[in-house]
Structures are given as C-alpha cells and as structure tokens.
Amino acid sequence: MASLRPAPSRAASADPASAAATVVPVAANASPSPRAGLAEGLNASSAAPGQAQKTPQRRVRVARAGATDLAPAAPRKAAPADGASDALPPFPPDSLAASLWLAARAVAAVLEGRSLDVGLACLKAPPAAARPAAQDAAYGALRRFAWGDLILARLLSTPLKAIEVRALLLVALYRLETRPEAAHTVVNQAVVAAAELAGGAFRGLVNGVLRNYLRQRESLLAAAAADPEAASQHPRWWLEKLQRAYPREWQAIVAAGNTQPPMCLRVNRRLAGRDAYAAELAEAGIEARPVGVDGLLLAHPQAVESLPGFATGRVSVQDAGAQRAAQILDPAPGARVLDVCAAPGGKSAHLLERADLDLLALDIDAARLRRVDATLARLGLQAATRVADGSVPVRAGAAGSWWDGRPFDAILVDAPCSASGVVRRHPDAKWLRRIGDVRALLGVQAAILDAVWPLLRPGGKLLYATCSVFPEENGAQIDAFLHRHADAGRELEERLLPLAEHDGFYYALVRKTV
C-alpha cells in the first residue's frame, strides 16, 4: 500500500498487557465457535470503554512516496465515550489508519445485520482519497469473513462484543494476509485506528491479537484450510446447494464468488458508438475490449469520474450479464413496457437506450426509486416511475391503483432473489442470508409473476430475470409458473454462471398465447 501513509500513533506503542487476559494462544485441539451467521449474536452493545486521554504533541514518522520524514502530529479530539464515530475519519485521508477505520465502520454495519450498501454509506463523507482503500478492505474482509471469524475464535478467549473493534480486527487480518510485507505498518495503524473506536479501550487487545496472529500464522492458516467454510469463504448450506445443483461446476462457482468482480461499461448508443468510445478510452489510457452488443469490459476497474462522458450520460457501469436483459426482451419501438422491481434502473435505462418506449418503472422502495430517476436523468432518458409493490394484484380504477387499465406489450420482472450469482459484488449476502430466506423469496417471486401476468396483452412477452444461480429461484420457478398459467409458453431460457467477464444470471422469456 505505497499510496497509504501511516497516521500518527496515539502512543509510542500499545500496551499488550491490556489484552493478555483476552488473547489466547492456539491450542492443538481448539475449535472455533460455530458461525450461525452475522445477524445472530452480534448485536450486543460495545463494552464500556475507559476515559480517553488527550494526545500530546509528538514527532512521528510519516511515510511518503520515496521518502521517510519526521513531522509533528497535531493533537486530535478524543473519541466520544460512547464509542460513536465522527462522520469523517480523524486521520489524514491518505493514511492506512483512515482506510482501516472506515472499513471497520462499514463491516460493523454488516455484523449488526445491515447490508454492505448501508455500511459503505459512511464512505461518502470522507475525502475521495480515503474511499478506494477503505472500500477494498471492507469488501475483502467480508469475502473472507469465515476465514477471519475462525482466526478470531482461536485468538480470543471470549467473543468480542465491541462490534466496531471486532470489525477492525477482521479488516486488519485481511490486510495482513494480503499485504504481508507491510505487517508491522498494518499492526501499528490498526492500533492507531483502534484508539478512535470505543474510547480507545481496545488498543492493547488489537495489538495483542494481531501480533499473536503473526506469531501463530502457520498453524492458524492450517486450521482455516481444514474448515470447509473458512477454506471456501461460503456458508456450509450455500456450498451444499451448489454441490447438489452443479456437481461439476460448483467449485468454479465458489472460486468466482471469491474474486474481484469485473468492471463492464454499457455505451449509450443514443449518444456514442461503442467503437468510437473505446477509442476515447484508449486515448485516456484505459484498456477495454468489446463484450456483448453494447458492452466494453475494462482491463482494470476505474473511478467513474475518470470515464469520458460519464456525467453526461454517454456511458454507464453495468455487468455484461445484466445487459442481456434488454437484448432478450427487445421490445419494439413504441411498445408499452413495465419494469417491475426496477431500481437502481440500469435495465430500464438500457431498454430506453435501444428504443423509444412508453416505459413504467415500479419499485417498492421510494428511496431506491429515486435512484432510477437519477439514472434516467443522467442519461437523458424519460420514463414514468411509481412506488408500488409488484407482488400485490392490481385492478384498474381501484383506490390507490397504479395501473390505468391499458395492457403492456412487454414486462420485465427483475425479481428479488438470493443474489447468489453476484456474491462477489455483494459479499455480505452469503453471510446475511439464511436458507429460510431463499424459501421466502420463492414466494415473493411467484407472487410478482402471478400479479403482473394479467397485465400483459395476448401475444405479449414477459422476461423473468434473477441474479441467482440457485435452480429453485430460476428454472423451477418458471416451471411452476407455467403449470399455473395455461396461456403461458416458454420461448427462451438462458443461464449464465459467474465467469471472469460476467456475473451469474438467469433469464426466461415467456409469451402469452393469443
């Protein structure tokens, strides 16, 4: 992490003795506590911290590119006694401590049962320099959660109830394993970050845990390699479902789920040609190659601000697999189209880029629907948007009805699902989900299909789409739907397993008989 410089330490060194009663060596027969899931047993409040002390003026080493200098460190405001964090990191934004601190806040939100999207919201306030490293650390720690959870279970004598400190340890363990050459700096900066969590009461514990990990690394890694969840980075029930459904491909699916996702662009054909835009990227030093009909797969992820014309709607970020939806549904110009569960709006936008349509975008979440409006505005596209629950049958003219009685020529059901095909983009999903959640989602998917089918005109077509690889959400769901509706016929079915250039998706095109 040459671009990250150490933040000033709160003290010359953390006191390892303060963690001695909690940090334990690895016993030969030690076994980690069972991982029942992130949302269970992790909502206890932080332990009561001690009183934070003022930081004296001191001289510390600040690592910059190509040089090591001595510089005075300015005093910082002590962390609140209740463990709450300020919106901005109390460190230089380009410091490793800042990225660890921010990543810990994002991971802590997931440990408390919230989504990573919610956790990453805290990364919007800090300067742009702090966000990339923090986001990378948060995603990495959650992709390897089972591994980190096992390590902590073996290094702590009792579960750590201070959620943000626990999250910091997970993030720091990830960073130690991916940046072993910077182990001393990572430990130091994790202790600095711990000084701003829970009143600084766990600095010694963080120092002790991380140093014990380094001393016992080989035996800990061997234990993790012998644990199916820690080795695969997937819950046991998830692995069993994949093994049953894909006896030949399950290992490749698991491996793909643990990788960095590809970054694919969708060129707005109304404003730019794909080849011409690819040439612009090349001039900007951004390597890309064509994929699909409108896509460009980047060799390396880029900040959207660096993409030519992104702000003016010439290009969007959308996985190549997700771009298949508009290509398969392919409504004729002037068609009346319904997009159910439309947020954040990428598929609606792609449909409108391809043809002039009378499109209505629905979503049950008003906040997420505003993202659809923002997406369409950036791209210079127009559509009607309504907050509505697509799983509830609707009748024209009824009180509160969003439907005007005119049938649709085409319907896109981008159904809520397990997200098992996009888990590398949403690593929190595999730890927050339960097998019972998948069963509940099956009912929601069926309800949406049944509710919107009467709104489709005879001869019209419905595209059912998920970002799942679990068969019961895909082909089995459509089989059941066809059994319930004699006027429905399957015209096309496409299954995409996650690969290097796209995520996992399922599509089924169904036509209503005349």
Side-chain angles (χ1 to χ4, degrees), residues 233-280:
Q233 302 307 322
H234 285 69
R236 191 179 301 273
W237 68 267
W238 195 297
L239 289 174
E240 291 171 352
K241 289 177 72 66
L242 292 178
Q243 289 165 353
R244 286 194 301 269
Y246 306 100
R248 295 182 179 179
E249 302 102 333
W250 73 268
Q251 290 176 311
I253 296 172
V254 168
N258 293 329
T259 62
Q260 295 278 353
M263 183 172 179
C264 187
L265 307 182
R266 187 190 74 240
V267 179
N268 185 350
R269 59 171 64 183
R270 290 179 178 265
L271 301 178
R274 183 171 68 174
D275 292 344
Y277 189 81
E280 286 188 56

Side-chain angles (χ1 to χ4, degrees), residues 5 30 65 87 105 133 153 185 196-197 219 239 259 272 285 288 308 355 384 395 424 465 471 476 478 480:
R5 62 191 181 100
R105 293 187 64 200
T185 301
E196 299 295 338
L197 298 174
S219 61
L239 289 174
T259 62
R395 183 165 53 87
R424 58 187 171 189
I478 292 300

Side-chain angles (χ1 to χ4, degrees), residues 235 237-238 418-420 422-423 426-434:
W237 68 267
W238 195 297
S418 64
S420 53
V422 294
V423 73
H426 304 282
D428 54 320
K430 57 186 175 182
W431 306 115
L432 292 175
R433 293 282 189 214
R434 302 288 181 277

Side-chain angles (χ1 to χ4, degrees), residues 84 163 188-189 205 303 364 374 406 439:
I163 298 298
N188 172 270
Q189 294 292 280
L205 181 142
I364 193 172
R406 294 183 296 153
R439 289 193 289 267

Side-chain angles (χ1 to χ4, degrees), residues 175-186:
R175 189 58 73 199
L176 283 173
E177 196 57 27
T178 55
R179 299 288 191 273
E181 73 283 357
H184 175 77
T185 301
V186 172

Side-chain angles (χ1 to χ4, degrees), residues 391-444:
S391 68
V392 176
V394 63
R395 183 165 53 87
S401 174
W402 52 266
W403 186 43
D404 61 7
R406 294 183 296 153
F408 293 95
D409 301 300
I411 297 177
L412 171 60
V413 176
D414 193 8
C417 66
S418 64
S420 53
V422 294
V423 73
R424 58 187 171 189
R425 298 186 190 276
H426 304 282
D428 54 320
K430 57 186 175 182
W431 306 115
L432 292 175
R433 293 282 189 214
R434 302 288 181 277
I435 192 168
D437 297 334
V438 178
R439 289 193 289 267
L441 284 166
L442 296 178
V444 175

Side-chain angles (χ1 to χ4, degrees), residues 60-78:
V60 297
R61 292 191 178 273
V62 180
R64 298 190 179 92
T68 301
D69 303 318
L70 289 176
R76 294 196 305 273
K77 181 178 66 174

